[in-house]
Amino acid sequence: MSRKLTRPRDNRMIAGVCAGLARRFGMSAGMMRLLFVLSVLLPGPQVVIYLALWIIMPSESSPVAEYRH
């Protein structure tokens, strides 16, 4: 289980939010995406939360950027 909550550069579908959450909680990205799609069928602010996480979660830095610093 990763400690940092970031949007990975690989395994992204739209913004990498589900992949980042899956990595953080030790799940597969496909399972997290399925849970999100199923949750959208229920009433609630799921899409707003997804958009907020897209804005709030930092993108994973590239290996080249880490090498330069």
Side-chain angles (χ1 to χ4, degrees), residues 1-44:
M1 187 159 89
S2 174
R3 293 186 185 180
K4 289 180 73 174
L5 184 58
T6 59
R7 294 181 294 120
R9 290 200 166 282
D10 60 335
N11 203 11
R12 283 186 177 186
M13 292 291 276
I14 296 175
V17 173
C18 287
L21 289 171
R23 186 180 288 181
R24 170 66 174 92
F25 295 111
M27 299 173 62
S28 71
M31 179 61 73
M32 184 61 74
R33 290 181 187 117
L34 178 65
L35 289 172
F36 175 73
V37 169
L38 291 175
S39 76
V40 170
L41 299 175
L42 300 171

Side-chain angles (χ1 to χ4, degrees), residues 61-69:
S61 59
S62 68
V64 174
E66 288 179 7
Y67 179 73
R68 290 182 186 166
H69 289 123

